[in-house]
Amino acid sequence: MEPTRPRTELLAPEVEMDNITTILDDTAVMHRLALRLPAGKITVLMGPSGVGKTTLIKHLVGLLEPSGGTVRFDGRDIWESTPAQWQDVRKGIGAMLGGSNLFTTSVFSSISVVENLIYTLEAIGVPEDERYDIAMRQLRELNLDEMADQMPESLPAHAWKRVALARALVTDAPLIVLDEIDVGLDQKHSEAMVNAVRKMHDRTGCTLLITTHTLELAREMADRLAIMVNGRIVAVGSPMELLDGVKSSDDFDQRYEFSDQSGPPRLEEAQADADRRPLEPRQAARGGRDRTMVTIAVIAIVLVIALFVLLKLLPG
């Protein structure tokens, strides 16, 4: 009998990023970015390298707090959640990270391929006797079952990438985020990846965000396409509409990157927006705890000094 696929009690969320401003190392990466991911739909995000797509992903999955703006799941700002609330939210997110470390950040190199997936299933509370069968079924969908007992470091790059994808998909989470999904894959493995993602989405109806540079993948996968240039979303619509007449990456750059007259975000303007961001409850609570500890330490020092003076004043 097939094991029951893991499910959370959460429904596929609508995700809204509003007025997002991000400053990293004195560089304005994003300024007043707005993006909505409709519940249950596949949104594909495209844009030139270095425009902030991976940073946007980190805001969504809780790895990096934006300098300004809000990230809302069904109307609730996740960056205003308490640590306990955030843990509950995180169980409903499956993610494959890209960026400078590519997919290696989404795979543990110290445990085997199948153990990577089992660990993920354990984290969301899947019964122990179901984890192995669920993990192996996901590996078979990505032609990885024969590598199940190998260590990730022994695998070629395309296999490591597919392990990262398998970890993201295996939970059937209500929100799946896949960054640079097709980087490092040849035609054969790209097709297996597309099929696995499609099967997962058909099965779960999750909210899905994919970033890619590949025009064909965007046309094939996207219900909704968003174009990111110079730290903001410059176009949102159907892939048929936004990629009409776009036959190559040069055509894409000419239409979107080179025609954008606003240029990169200005640091001074981004800082002005970031300075208006209110202190988050978690930060406020942490600051309150820090102040309490300082107060206790000061009181303790005063008491020690007072006791020392009192002992000096006592006779003999």
Side-chain angles (χ1 to χ4, degrees), residues 218-219 222-225 227 234-246 255-256:
R219 288 189 172 99
D223 296 319
R224 197 162 179 264
L225 179 63
I227 309 296
V234 298
V236 176
S238 71
M240 182 179 298
E241 172 193 359
L242 298 187
L243 298 181
D244 182 37
V246 176
R255 177 171 296 183
Y256 292 109

Side-chain angles (χ1 to χ4, degrees), residues 14-61:
E14 178 173 87
V15 179
E16 295 177 282
M17 305 186 76
D18 184 45
N19 207 32
I20 297 295
T21 295
T22 305
I23 300 171
L24 299 174
D25 298 326
D26 293 326
T27 299
V29 178
M30 285 180 262
H31 187 211
R32 299 182 181 177
L33 177 143
L35 177 64
R36 183 176 69 89
L37 310 181
K41 300 297 184 181
I42 301 176
T43 301
V44 172
L45 178 64
M46 296 189 71
S49 297
V51 297
K53 298 188 298 297
T54 294
T55 300
L56 182 151
I57 296 296
K58 291 179 179 179
H59 293 331
L60 279 181
V61 302

Side-chain angles (χ1 to χ4, degrees), residues 3-300:
T4 303
R5 295 291 294 192
R7 291 274 190 171
T8 73
E9 296 179 357
L10 300 174
L11 298 176
E14 178 173 87
V15 179
E16 295 177 282
M17 305 186 76
D18 184 45
N19 207 32
I20 297 295
T21 295
T22 305
I23 300 171
L24 299 174
D25 298 326
D26 293 326
T27 299
V29 178
M30 285 180 262
H31 187 211
R32 299 182 181 177
L33 177 143
L35 177 64
R36 183 176 69 89
L37 310 181
K41 300 297 184 181
I42 301 176
T43 301
V44 172
L45 178 64
M46 296 189 71
S49 297
V51 297
K53 298 188 298 297
T54 294
T55 300
L56 182 151
I57 296 296
K58 291 179 179 179
H59 293 331
L60 279 181
V61 302
L63 293 177
L64 178 67
E65 185 174 11
S67 307
T70 57
V71 181
R72 296 188 296 270
F73 289 9
D74 288 333
R76 184 178 70 176
D77 187 348
I78 62 169
W79 284 105
E80 290 185 349
S81 301
T82 65
Q85 289 171 333
W86 173 246
Q87 286 300 318
D88 289 338
V89 171
R90 185 64 186 87
K91 290 178 181 179
I93 304 174
M96 182 181 73
L97 304 179
S100 58
N101 293 323
L102 203 57
F103 40 85
T104 56
T105 54
S106 298
V107 177
F108 295 125
S109 61
S110 58
I111 57 178
S112 71
V113 168
V114 70
E115 287 170 339
N116 264 274
L117 274 65
I118 289 172
Y119 176 88
T120 302
L121 294 169
E122 179 183 4
I124 64 169
V126 174
E128 184 176 0
D129 60 349
E130 295 183 11
R131 295 171 197 161
Y132 180 82
D133 289 338
I134 293 171
M136 288 303 299
R137 189 167 87 171
Q138 185 65 71
L139 292 177
R140 282 194 294 274
E141 288 182 3
L142 287 162
N143 301 322
L144 289 166
D145 47 309
E146 294 184 358
M147 305 176 186
D149 295 325
Q150 296 185 39
M151 302 298 285
E153 290 182 346
S154 69
L155 302 179
H158 63 78
W160 193 318
K161 178 63 173 283
R162 286 180 287 137
V163 174
L165 179 61
R167 280 199 64 190
L169 300 183
V170 74
T171 60
D172 280 357
L175 172 63
I176 301 286
V177 181
L178 305 175
D179 189 20
E180 300 187 353
I181 185 172
D182 53 338
V183 171
L185 297 181
D186 57 22
Q187 181 67 27
K188 173 186 174 182
H189 295 119
S190 291
E191 290 177 359
M193 173 270 297
V194 168
N195 291 335
V197 174
R198 273 290 184 197
K199 283 183 66 175
M200 179 277 304
H201 187 262
D202 290 344
R203 181 173 61 241
T204 67
C206 67
T207 302
L208 177 58
L209 176 64
I210 297 172
T211 74
T212 184
H213 293 278
T214 305
L215 297 169
E216 292 75 14
L217 188 145
R219 288 189 172 99
E220 182 176 358
M221 296 289 289
D223 296 319
R224 197 162 179 264
L225 179 63
I227 309 296
M228 187 174 180
V229 175
N230 289 325
R232 65 187 182 281
I233 303 299
V234 298
V236 176
S238 71
M240 182 179 298
E241 172 193 359
L242 298 187
L243 298 181
D244 182 37
V246 176
K247 299 179 180 180
S248 67
S249 58
D250 288 341
D251 291 339
F252 181 89
D253 291 343
Q254 189 67 40
R255 177 171 296 183
Y256 292 109
E257 183 179 9
F258 301 146
S259 64
D260 183 70
Q261 301 299 315
S262 300
R266 296 171 178 82
L267 180 60
E268 297 78 9
E269 295 176 359
Q271 285 175 329
D273 275 3
D275 289 342
R276 290 193 290 270
R277 182 171 174 81
L279 187 67
E280 299 297 342
R282 285 180 300 162
Q283 295 174 324
R286 188 163 54 242
R289 289 194 297 270
D290 291 344
R291 288 190 293 273
T292 299
M293 294 302 295
V294 170
T295 300
I296 292 172
V298 170
I299 292 173

